[in-house]
Amino acid sequence: MKPAPIPPGEARRLAVLRELAILDAPPDERLDVVTAYCRSRFGVAIALVSLVDEGRQWFASRQGLEPRETPRAQSFCAHAVAAAAMLVVPDASRDPRFADNPLVLGFPGIRFYAGAPVRVRGETLGTVCLIDPRPRHARPEDLTDLQDIADAVAWFLEQRIGESRASLLPVAMPGCRTGMGEDLGDPWLRLVEFCLAHAKSPDATRLKEIALGLHTRALPRLVLRAKARRLADEAGKIASSILVPAA
């Protein structure tokens, strides 16, 4: 097993991670929306929001995996952090970096791994990652979607720095308004709506419950406008009836 190298500027990266005040915190349903969606959307056994700490990787959210953390020396995500880039491993049992990793040889039997970097204040703190016990190849469009989701998670995490939890609720952004004249919500709101629009599993019911609990406005007035409008277009006509150009 070859542990990931320590990235340059590690002290600064760890300082930003500490500023989030999220390590060892109770699970946050807003992050659980992301991992539940990723597990369904990409058809994998495990989906995580993983933050790489000094000697461990800690899971801010997890689906399909019970432990809250694993040693950093065993972490696939630490390799993505060191490279500050997407990491895709089609079959870990055939990759010399990971073939003798305990997470490959034993539970959870990792074969496929894809991790998109989560960058906050210029530092790669961890990943949104997908894990499966079967080898597979990721489609380019799936990796693009995964990075979009990781970027939205990064935005969400950055709001924690120096702010109260109240500031994590939707914040108006310029560019478009709903037909009622309201500003569109933040990337988090758009991500939740994207999840609701695309989920085709029992997770969809739970996602709807969480969204209703987090936002006071009715679901038909939640605006789907995913990052750079690319995912909004993919979602078809869901948003077309309520999006109008900003004046």
Side-chain angles (χ1 to χ4, degrees), residues 43-212:
V44 294
I46 298 169
L48 307 168
V49 174
S50 173
L51 301 174
V52 177
D53 197 5
E54 186 172 10
R56 61 176 176 165
Q57 63 174 351
W58 184 80
F59 307 130
S61 179
R62 66 202 193 284
Q63 302 287 337
L65 187 68
E66 186 60 30
R68 293 300 306 274
E69 62 182 67
T70 59
R72 180 171 178 170
Q74 300 175 6
S75 170
F76 284 54
C77 298
H79 287 263
V81 167
M86 176 86 71
L87 174 66
V88 180
V89 181
D91 186 350
S93 70
R94 296 178 177 272
D95 190 312
R97 295 170 295 177
F98 305 112
D100 60 347
N101 188 306
L103 302 177
V104 175
L105 297 176
F107 180 83
I110 298 173
R111 293 299 181 269
F112 171 76
Y113 171 92
V118 173
R119 302 182 184 93
V120 176
R121 294 192 172 182
E123 302 294 335
T124 303
L125 303 185
T127 71
V128 175
C129 68
L130 313 174
I131 293 171
D132 203 77
R134 300 161 297 176
R136 60 190 288 181
H137 291 278
R139 299 180 304 173
E141 57 266 33
D142 287 341
L143 297 180
T144 299
D145 286 354
L146 183 61
Q147 187 61 65
D148 284 343
I149 293 170
D151 291 345
V153 168
W155 181 92
F156 167 75
L157 292 176
E158 188 156 5
Q159 307 314 299
R160 298 181 64 98
I161 299 177
E163 299 181 4
S164 67
R165 278 190 170 272
S167 66
L168 299 180
L169 295 177
V171 177
M173 293 180 65
C176 277
R177 293 195 302 270
T178 67
M180 299 298 293
E182 298 173 347
D183 287 331
L184 289 180
D186 56 45
W188 188 256
L189 179 61
R190 299 200 299 271
L191 177 62
V192 169
E193 185 63 2
F194 179 71
C195 293
L196 293 174
H198 283 269
K200 297 179 181 179
S201 73
D203 290 336
T205 299
R206 181 58 182 150
L207 294 175
K208 183 174 180 179
E209 291 172 355
I210 291 171
L212 285 171

